Amino acid sequence: MKKLYIFIIVALAFTLNSCVDIVERYNFRPNGTCEVVYDFDMSRAVAILHNLLSDSLTATPQFAMAKDTVMNLYGALPDSTQQKMSVQEMRLAKSSDLAVNMNLKQDLMKVSIRHEADSPSGLEFYLQQMSKMANYGYLNEKGVKNNMFNAQQLMAGNDCYTYQVTSNRFCRIIDKEKFNNFLKRTRSTFAMAKAMLIETPYKVVLNFAKPVKKVDNKKAILSADRKQVILQTSIDELIKDPSIMNLQVDL
């Protein structure tokens, strides 16, 4: 039975790393605060897992695992990880929530990390620090209790960007050298996804409290009321042209 459980975990890890719909969402409010949410929908991975396993395996209690919970991100980390964190990292983790909605039998696996920034400068600081925390390994499958997903690889990609956030501007520019290093660490994952003919969609959604004056990215879509900007691509496109996700929005 233990071997069966390990097989399920390995198969799930294989597919989760290959099939992830990523949405980065920002909700800017008139008072200067901003809710930022990273959504990782890995349900397609679970559906593929169903096809990989026999009926006898999917009928086991291990495959019946289900969870729908929201917890404080800091509280979800083991003591050994908490002790390694700086004061700033502790504050960020304590002000962030981790939501897990998982039901393997229903082909459902969604993970969200949410943070409430109290100011534009606070948002800029969070965006830079959160990705660094992922690089340190605080958000990988060993660092978060009882959750089977590799957030480290997904979140660490944001460390490739430099941010400028003010009351009148949201700007991020990719650092190609950092991005190339990121690709070296994750090349096997993306190659696997491509071999399986699976794309990894990547969407950035920015909801502003006032109309946008200018958007500096030809792929970005501006809503009719000029308060929402959507930039959508895929990891495959990003690999071919990293600058495709450079974005500057002036308000």
Side-chain angles (χ1 to χ4, degrees), residues 181-236:
N181 290 333
F182 170 72
L183 286 182
K184 290 178 182 178
R185 299 194 301 270
T186 57
R187 189 175 302 278
S188 60
T189 294
F190 297 131
M192 186 186 305
K194 190 172 183 179
M196 296 173 66
L197 302 180
I198 297 171
E199 287 192 350
T200 303
Y202 180 20
K203 181 189 293 186
V204 179
V205 180
L206 301 103
N207 297 307
F208 295 97
K210 56 184 179 181
V212 170
K213 293 180 180 178
K214 181 181 178 182
V215 181
D216 188 9
N217 187 305
K218 294 181 179 179
K219 283 182 65 69
I221 299 174
L222 185 61
S223 64
D225 63 0
R226 304 186 67 85
K227 290 186 177 182
Q228 183 183 73
V229 176
I230 297 178
L231 181 56
Q232 185 167 354
T233 184
S234 67
I235 297 298
D236 192 42

Side-chain angles (χ1 to χ4, degrees), residues 10-198:
V10 171
L12 186 58
F14 176 92
T15 52
L16 289 187
N17 281 333
S18 303
C19 319
V20 183
D21 294 295
I22 307 170
V23 180
E24 201 176 321
R25 193 180 308 275
Y26 300 82
N27 297 316
F28 294 90
R29 301 187 179 92
N31 63 0
T33 62
C34 179
E35 177 192 51
V36 55
V37 182
Y38 294 94
D39 285 324
F40 308 108
D41 188 348
M42 296 161 275
S43 300
R44 287 191 298 144
V46 180
I48 291 175
L49 180 62
H50 258 150
N51 294 328
L52 293 176
L53 299 178
S54 65
D55 291 340
S56 61
L57 291 180
T58 57
T60 60
Q62 285 76 20
F63 202 83
M65 291 181 292
K67 177 178 293 189
D68 186 1
T69 184
V70 178
M71 67 196 85
N72 179 261
L73 180 58
Y74 182 78
L77 299 173
D79 294 340
S80 58
T81 298
Q82 294 175 358
Q83 292 169 2
K84 298 176 184 178
M85 302 175 75
S86 68
V87 174
Q88 291 177 330
E89 290 167 344
M90 289 174 59
R91 288 174 180 170
L92 287 181
K94 287 180 178 180
S95 60
S96 302
D97 291 327
L98 172 69
V100 179
N101 189 0
M102 177 181 73
N103 190 317
L104 302 184
K105 283 188 174 294
Q106 295 182 7
D107 295 341
L108 177 65
M109 172 67 87
K110 295 182 179 180
V111 175
S112 297
I113 297 177
R114 176 189 174 276
H115 176 76
E116 187 80 20
D118 59 4
S119 65
S121 60
L123 174 60
E124 181 177 321
F125 179 77
Y126 170 79
L127 294 175
Q128 298 289 181
Q129 293 299 316
M130 197 63 178
S131 57
K132 292 178 181 178
M133 287 171 61
N135 277 324
Y136 295 156
Y138 292 159
L139 300 177
N140 64 15
E141 67 274 25
K142 295 180 181 178
V144 179
K145 299 174 183 175
N146 303 320
N147 294 302
M148 294 183 304
F149 71 100
N150 190 341
Q152 177 182 358
Q153 208 173 65
L154 301 173
M155 293 290 291
N158 270 357
D159 192 39
C160 302
Y161 295 98
T162 56
Y163 290 88
Q164 180 191 5
V165 185
T166 69
S167 58
N168 296 311
R169 173 172 292 179
F170 178 93
C171 179
R172 71 176 193 179
I173 304 295
I174 198 163
D175 184 318
K176 292 186 178 180
E177 183 177 351
K178 285 186 177 181
F179 184 72
N180 287 333
N181 290 333
F182 170 72
L183 286 182
K184 290 178 182 178
R185 299 194 301 270
T186 57
R187 189 175 302 278
S188 60
T189 294
F190 297 131
M192 186 186 305
K194 190 172 183 179
M196 296 173 66
L197 302 180
I198 297 171

